[in-house]
Amino acid sequence: MFEHMQETISKDIKELHVVGKADVQSIKGTVEKAVAESMQKLQDDNRHVRELAKEAVTSAILTLKEIGIETRNNVAAAVDGAIEGINRPNREMMQILDKELLKTKYLFQEKKGELAESLQEALHGAKEAADTFTQETKDAIDTSVKALKLKSAE
């Protein structure tokens, strides 16, 4: 299922080693990138995350061993890369959702302000209408307007 990812990890780590750049950061970055790409292909199907992590770490460590650079730090870099690669798409999605939530909050505040303004205008219009009626009707309108103001304040 994850053959392409395994091949990519192995090939890229070997290439790093050949050019003398197989350091902890490079190994971690290589594994992270390959795992993140595989995670995107899973499209929120987390049933295979365990297998994905296992295959990525196994591939990286076997490659490190094969080329003779299986050190504690390099192994830790492979594990870190696998975990970060799994988390990267989720972090990116959370950032997108956070931005959307912020936009929605601003829109909500804007619409809430517009609603309050419209309500005030409507209440003023109702009060103005009261001026054309008898005192009894005017009092009834004023009472209704006050009640609506209190209700809207809640």
Side-chain angles (χ1 to χ4, degrees), residues 16-90:
L16 287 171
H17 181 64
V18 168
V19 296
K21 296 192 179 194
D23 59 17
V24 171
Q25 283 303 108
S26 300
I27 293 167
K28 178 182 175 185
T30 295
V31 175
E32 180 178 343
K33 180 180 177 212
V35 171
E37 288 172 2
S38 291
M39 275 298 291
Q40 287 181 333
K41 290 176 186 171
L42 290 178
Q43 298 178 344
D44 297 329
D45 183 2
N46 289 328
R47 293 177 296 169
H48 302 288
V49 170
R50 180 182 293 198
E51 183 182 350
L52 173 65
K54 176 183 170 187
E55 296 299 327
V57 169
T58 300
S59 177
I61 292 173
L62 288 175
T63 302
L64 293 171
K65 187 177 230 174
E66 179 184 329
I67 59 178
I69 58 171
E70 180 193 14
T71 66
R72 180 179 294 267
N73 289 340
N74 288 344
V75 168
V79 173
D80 288 348
I83 302 305
E84 289 298 317
I86 288 168
N87 288 331
R88 185 196 303 174
N90 292 330

Side-chain angles (χ1 to χ4, degrees), residues 41-153:
K41 290 176 186 171
L42 290 178
Q43 298 178 344
D44 297 329
D45 183 2
N46 289 328
R47 293 177 296 169
H48 302 288
V49 170
R50 180 182 293 198
E51 183 182 350
L52 173 65
K54 176 183 170 187
E55 296 299 327
V57 169
T58 300
S59 177
I61 292 173
L62 288 175
T63 302
L64 293 171
K65 187 177 230 174
E66 179 184 329
I67 59 178
I69 58 171
E70 180 193 14
T71 66
R72 180 179 294 267
N73 289 340
N74 288 344
V75 168
V79 173
D80 288 348
I83 302 305
E84 289 298 317
I86 288 168
N87 288 331
R88 185 196 303 174
N90 292 330
R91 276 194 317 275
E92 290 170 355
M93 180 56 70
M94 288 179 70
Q95 289 173 341
I96 291 168
L97 291 173
D98 194 38
K99 287 177 184 176
E100 290 299 318
L101 181 60
L102 190 58
K103 287 178 188 176
T104 302
K105 283 181 181 178
Y106 284 133
L107 180 62
F108 176 76
Q109 290 300 324
E110 185 179 302
K111 294 299 179 186
K112 190 175 174 182
E114 289 174 11
L115 176 63
E117 191 175 307
S118 295
L119 180 60
Q120 286 294 353
E121 288 298 316
L123 292 173
H124 288 302
K127 280 185 108 175
E128 287 176 6
D131 293 338
T132 61
F133 295 102
T134 64
Q135 188 60 41
E136 186 177 326
T137 304
K138 186 176 180 180
D139 290 344
I141 292 173
D142 284 343
T143 301
S144 293
V145 167
K146 287 177 185 174
L148 287 171
K149 280 184 180 180
L150 287 174
K151 199 177 206 181
S152 71

